[in-house]
Amino acid sequence: MNTTSGRGDTIVSDRAFIKITEQAAAEDDRVAGRPHASGSVSGCVAAVHLDLAVRYPAPVPELASELREHVRSRVRDLTGITIENVDIEVVRLVPAQRRAEERS
């Protein structure tokens, strides 16, 4: 994957692009564990699919919408690649950890 700026070209490998995308998705506290990303890039434009676990009881539609925008913005900032489509598949719901005082 190449991105061109006024000063030269930046080359981002497919593997690096996927890892950056996974890290961007993992930055949201409502996501449990490490998301799994796959995607395709054509020039400076990409489409991404994310499989992720969500901490229950997070509102999934709201999370998905906010996560799409965060991933698009963060990956664009880091790589120069524009993600036009982010598909999100919630593969698991993970109960949120209870606080120690709630268990007593």
Side-chain angles (χ1 to χ4, degrees):
M1 288 164 255
N2 294 331
T3 58
T4 304
S5 67
R7 293 187 232 172
D9 294 338
T10 300
I11 299 171
V12 179
S13 72
D14 292 343
R15 184 175 179 196
F17 175 76
I18 293 300
K19 294 294 182 188
I20 291 166
T21 302
E22 289 172 342
Q23 180 58 41
E27 292 172 352
D28 192 302
D29 291 338
R30 298 168 293 181
V31 173
R34 181 91 175 165
H36 177 265
S38 59
S40 60
V41 178
S42 178
C44 293
V45 179
V48 172
H49 178 90
L50 288 168
D51 290 331
L52 51 95
V54 173
R55 293 187 198 285
Y56 180 80
V60 175
E62 179 181 310
L63 168 64
S65 176
E66 292 171 6
L67 193 60
R68 276 186 191 95
E69 291 309 311
H70 177 75
V71 168
R72 282 183 180 127
S73 173
R74 188 81 165 118
V75 171
R76 172 82 174 141
D77 290 347
L78 293 172
T79 68
I81 297 169
T82 301
I83 299 178
E84 288 192 351
N85 190 41
V86 180
D87 291 327
I88 296 177
E89 186 171 344
V90 176
V91 296
R92 192 174 75 228
L93 294 175
V94 177
Q97 297 293 324
R98 293 185 179 168
R99 294 184 201 136
E101 62 268 10
E102 291 176 349
R103 288 185 237 159
S104 300

